[in-house]
Amino acid sequence: MSLQLDQVARLPDVAVLPHPQGQQQALAILLLALAAVVLLYHATFWSMLELWSRSQTFAHGFLIVPISCWLAWRQRARLAALAPQPSWQGLLLLGALGLAWLLADAANVSVVEQYAATAMLPACVLAILGWPAVRLLAFPLAYLFLAVPFGEVFLDPLIDFTAAFTVTALQWTGVPVFRDGNNFSLPTGNWSVVEACSGLRYLIAALALGALYAHVHCHSTGRRLAVMAAALLVPILANGVRAYLIVMLGHLSGMRLAVGVDHLIYGWLFFGLVVLLLFWLAARWRELPPARAALAPTLSARPGASAAAASRHAVVRASVACLLLAALWPALALASHRDDGAVPPGSPVVLALPDPPAWRRLHDAAPAWQAPYAGTPARFAATYALGDGAPVGLQLHWYARQARDAELLTHQSSPYGARWMALAQRVQDITLAGGALAVRESVLRHGGERLLVWRIYRQGGIVTARPVLVKLLLAQAKLLGRRQDGADILVFAAYDELAPPPRARLHAFLQAALPVIEQRLQELPHGP
């Protein structure tokens, strides 16, 4: 008897697979939870789909979701062998993402809403199945983030790089060229680098393809990083070459080629060659998959029927907690938006504003510029002069309440109008009688004419030049039921491209006009 006990004691540990039926139930519960999150945040996901459908830059989003599902499906056998390990860290992450979504919804920052809602999907996987499942599905879950329409913030740097690359290449090849911002002139004609020439859509598509290729065909971290670096750098450099070749084609043909529809055709053909080059480079780093050991996870103890039932109960509890957390934030958002219908439609109301001291209003002067605005704010626009000096323009847009597409900061395809193009932008610190003040300075161009614009925002009684602070103040006001009124204040002056910017003139006008504007805005209703 003692010999038998000794032999049993020396037996090796037995690998025990999780209960297959319980694992299938856990996967079914996870899929239901993910579907519930998509349903709860359907407006956010629908906004992503709308951007995919109307923008060629983000049309790749239609492919990202099915590709991510296919990549997850490839791991189904390994996923089915994992025992569910619900994690409270996933619930904490889900709560933090929900709060971020709520703040973004209140401030109408769509891209943050979309990233937060997308990140809730891996958070649910972590909360319900645990870290082993997240590590197994890391790439499919991370690949979903490429479906979020993001990248327009890189438009200006890409446009500047493309213009600088093209001008430098033209100079190296002996072609005389004069550059003015993103516009340049050759003896045969004029060219301009616009959004479609930035190469952003090439870059985003190449990153999506490069990430997929690196995951499927490369298995070491170094080679995957090399493929991703190539997917980042090759499209940027290739877009500069593309712009240079198109300009040279137009220059050498006397502006008969590459100036119409063929301009776009040559661009897409060149992008096809760039993709082939990228895949040729990536193929040189391709690796065979490493040999996988037989999949048999070992459990620390032999689970009985009660343990399996407890595991299913834990999965159910985690999924219910996920649904309650996910449903909390849309309910709070609905409560914060209950008064959005109070934003009045119709024609903008014209504000009355006293003239600043010592400045006379030029009633017959045509405004040098009309700033675009969203919605139907109360407006004021006038042109002033000090004595016989040059004119200064003032525009004011005031919102009693703010809603999506009817607020101070709304994305616009032409933020300065169709006529003017921005040459430079920065935050300028000035000193007034009331103290220091920061203004957003923009230099706009139209032919040989320049326009210096100073812009400040007044959100909830706080004056700032920081758009991020405006959004945070708006979110705080909506969530706490405080005043939402906001004003967009712009002063500007036109000048010749050879003259210095009229900063002293704008400073003198703002010194006199800002107290008058503040007093008038204080008289306007600003209830919660």
Side-chain angles (χ1 to χ4, degrees), residues 178-458:
F178 171 75
R179 178 185 178 184
D180 183 10
N182 300 326
N183 305 279
F184 43 92
S185 301
L186 279 67
T188 53
N190 301 320
W191 297 83
S192 179
V193 180
V194 296
E195 290 186 8
C197 306
S198 66
L200 178 62
R201 65 183 62 172
Y202 301 155
L203 177 59
I204 293 178
L207 283 175
L209 288 173
L212 180 61
Y213 188 95
H215 173 72
V216 174
H217 295 294
C218 300
H219 305 281
S220 64
T221 303
R223 296 199 181 193
R224 285 179 173 176
L225 292 177
V227 171
M228 291 302 299
L232 176 66
L233 296 177
V234 170
I236 295 176
L237 295 175
N239 187 65
V241 175
R242 178 196 66 84
Y244 164 71
L245 292 178
I246 287 178
V247 172
M248 284 298 295
L249 189 59
H251 173 67
L252 296 176
S253 65
M255 301 299 286
R256 291 191 303 270
L257 298 177
V259 294
V261 178
D262 54 343
H263 179 113
L264 300 177
I265 296 175
Y266 298 152
W268 280 111
L269 290 176
F270 187 80
F271 176 67
L273 295 176
V274 171
V275 172
L276 291 177
L277 172 63
L278 187 59
F279 278 116
W280 177 79
L281 290 174
R284 302 177 64 87
W285 296 317
R286 183 174 180 177
E287 295 176 301
L288 294 176
R292 291 180 178 175
L295 186 62
T298 302
L299 303 182
S300 57
R302 181 181 178 88
S306 61
S311 176
R312 288 195 294 272
H313 292 161
V315 170
V316 171
R317 287 195 298 269
S319 62
V320 171
C322 284
L323 292 180
L324 292 176
L325 265 177
L328 172 64
W329 311 107
L332 293 176
L334 185 62
S336 68
H337 289 305
R338 64 185 180 276
D339 294 328
D340 279 357
V343 179
S347 302
V349 177
V350 178
L351 285 175
L353 189 69
D355 294 340
W359 289 79
R360 61 184 179 90
R361 184 170 178 177
L362 306 178
H363 294 276
D364 298 331
W369 172 60
Q370 173 59 60
Y373 56 90
T376 55
R379 296 177 52 214
F380 177 84
T383 303
Y384 295 92
L386 183 63
D388 296 329
V392 172
L394 168 64
Q395 292 185 23
L396 172 66
H397 309 130
W398 180 78
Y399 298 81
R401 302 190 66 86
Q402 300 184 58
R404 195 178 298 273
D405 298 327
E407 57 176 342
L408 284 183
L409 299 174
T410 300
H411 173 74
Q412 297 173 338
S413 57
S414 300
Y416 302 104
R419 179 186 177 193
W420 296 90
M421 296 182 60
L423 293 180
Q425 299 180 66
R426 65 169 181 166
V427 174
Q428 174 83 5
D429 293 321
I430 62 175
T431 302
L432 302 178
L437 178 69
V439 298
R440 293 185 63 82
E441 179 181 282
S442 300
V443 178
L444 308 184
R445 167 194 179 275
H446 176 69
E449 189 178 7
R450 297 292 184 270
L451 192 71
L452 182 66
V453 181
W454 280 3
R455 186 175 211 154
I456 56 176
Y457 307 104
R458 187 179 183 276

